[in-house]
Amino acid sequence: MGVEVAVEGLTKSFGSQRIWQDVTLTLPSGEVSALLGPSGTGKSVFLKSLIGLLRPEQGSIVIDGTDILQCSSKELYEIRKLFGVLFQDGALFGSMNLYDNVAFPLREHTKKSESDIRKIVMDKLELVGLLGAEDKLPGEISGGMRKRAGLARALVLDPQIILVDEPDSGLDPVRTTYISQTLIDINAEIDATILIVSHNINLARTVPDNIGMLFRRELVMFGPREVLLTSDEPVVKQFLNGTMIGPIGMSEEKDEAQMAHEQALVDAGHHAGGVDDVEGIVPQMQATPGMPVRQAVRRRQDRVRSILHTLPESARIAIEESIDADYIPSSFPSFTEPLESV
Ligand SMILES: Nc1ncnc2c1ncn2[C@@H]1O[C@H](COP(=O)(O)OP(=O)(O)OP(=O)(O)O)[C@@H](O)[C@H]1O
Ligand SMILES: [Mg+2]
């Protein structure tokens, strides 16, 4: 089962520039979570902090019982082996073909033979739809292919925690859906804890079990998908509908006067872009038929039930409906017994 990542009171600045402060969230083991937020809110900085590439000045990040902000570099090295990371730019080695790029972590961190390595590499390349492109250099392929190659490389060490920074950037909508499906299938297959950083609304609505949102140097919310997808919080609503109306502006945050002015234009009939009033919850993407059942679904149902009383009513209703819809009983009643005793 994937490993839980517990972040508490995390604060990160570069010099005098505060990126975010007091971020507290737990990525539940084996569940898929997404971190949303407008450009520049520090999503990538957060992801890099989780693997110890950047050091927040306050707070803790506890992974498998170890606070990676306090531990020795040797311990950090061991913890990092739990991770598979897809960086925003793919971070492939430009002078190596795709095969060698994907094989790199295996050659670096394991003593596997080249024939074992070959099996794993081809398996992962097939998973991301890149069979046949092994000999290509990163410079010779499309941005979307580079993303998928980066994902294949992130998976070769069978990570327990997978971090993916904008898996959809540079991909067309259909490829984005394929990569979303791949992530869900990987979760079903290896039960890894997954964090997806994205600003893709469609992905946010359909893929993760949990959603968080960064805005104005804070984690505005983090919780079960139903909480954010039914939220009335203006910034969350605006983001999920992709409209210009709301606190998120083009370059910086808007003030009250500007928001009132824009709302007046909309009231007078101006179209503010985005998808107006997408309400409610679309069903979550499921693993491809034939894949193992996602272990996380069951665990999450139990977990969410236990916090149900703490959630807003709209989320509570949505969760109860979805639990009814895909409840997986722990054991099916035995029909060899008289019905009354079932
Ligand atoms: N190594 C660094 N040194 C100094 N400032 C940095 C560093 N890395 C990121 N920043 C700053 O931190 C802020 C957040 O950057 P980050 O890349 O995390 O945003 P993001 O939410 O991932 O944006 P996008 O959605 O566009 O990828 C930016 O203002 C950026 O300039
Ligand atoms: Mg980023």
Side-chain angles (χ1 to χ4, degrees), residues 121-284:
V121 170
M122 298 311 270
D123 185 47
K124 302 304 177 200
L125 284 174
E126 182 177 9
L127 183 68
V128 300
L130 283 177
L131 270 189
E134 302 89 86
D135 297 333
K136 295 262 196 291
L137 291 172
E140 299 169 344
I141 59 176
S142 74
M145 290 168 84
R146 278 196 290 277
K147 275 267 133 131
R148 287 185 277 146
L151 182 60
R153 192 177 61 183
L155 296 174
V156 288
L157 290 176
D158 285 333
Q160 297 188 45
I161 308 167
I162 300 173
L163 308 179
V164 285
D165 199 344
E166 300 198 17
D168 53 289
S169 70
L171 296 195
D172 62 65
V174 176
R175 258 49 171 269
T176 298
T177 308
Y178 274 115
I179 212 155
S180 299
Q181 183 69 67
T182 305
L183 289 166
I184 288 287
D185 288 351
I186 289 164
N187 179 256
E189 207 165 29
I190 63 178
D191 201 18
T193 305
I194 300 183
L195 178 66
I196 305 168
V197 165
S198 180
H199 28 216
N200 184 305
I201 306 170
N202 196 29
L203 183 150
R205 285 179 176 280
T206 55
V207 177
D209 299 304
N210 309 292
I211 306 176
M213 181 151 176
L214 283 172
F215 187 60
R216 291 188 177 148
R217 288 167 288 284
E218 311 267 354
L219 184 71
V220 184
M221 272 189 193
F222 182 84
R225 63 193 291 270
E226 294 86 352
V227 175
L228 274 91
L229 296 181
T230 59
S231 173
D232 280 331
E233 172 72 32
V235 62
V236 174
K237 267 192 112 154
Q238 182 189 3
F239 195 88
L240 289 172
N241 289 331
T243 124
M244 294 186 281
I245 296 302
I248 307 170
M250 181 65 195
S251 59
E252 53 195 42
E253 294 142 26
K254 301 173 188 170
D255 58 25
E256 296 292 325
Q258 182 172 3
M259 280 174 65
H261 172 65
E262 288 174 353
Q263 188 60 55
L265 289 178
V266 167
D267 292 344
H270 175 67
H271 182 40
V275 188
D276 284 340
D277 295 326
V278 177
E279 292 289 345
I281 300 187
V282 291
Q284 192 178 7

Side-chain angles (χ1 to χ4, degrees), residues 14 17 19 37-45 54 88 166 199:
F14 290 109
Q17 187 195 7
I19 305 300
S39 275
T41 44
K43 301 180 298 296
S44 296
V45 167
L54 291 172
Q88 192 163 357
E166 300 198 17
H199 28 216

Side-chain angles (χ1 to χ4, degrees), residues 44-103:
S44 296
V45 167
F46 183 78
L47 185 140
K48 288 175 187 166
S49 300
L50 292 187
I51 41 167
L53 284 180
L54 291 172
R55 283 191 70 84
E57 61 266 23
Q58 257 177 55
S60 61
I61 303 171
V62 177
I63 298 168
D64 212 9
T66 304
D67 181 354
I68 63 160
L69 294 179
Q70 304 291 334
C71 70
S72 66
S73 49
K74 190 164 170 289
E75 282 174 301
L76 181 59
Y77 182 82
E78 290 303 316
I79 294 277
R80 273 200 192 144
K81 287 190 195 164
L82 301 174
F83 282 95
V85 186
L86 170 61
F87 290 103
Q88 192 163 357
D89 54 8
L92 299 174
F93 302 111
S95 60
M96 278 184 202
N97 67 23
L98 294 192
Y99 183 94
D100 290 331
N101 260 291
V102 176

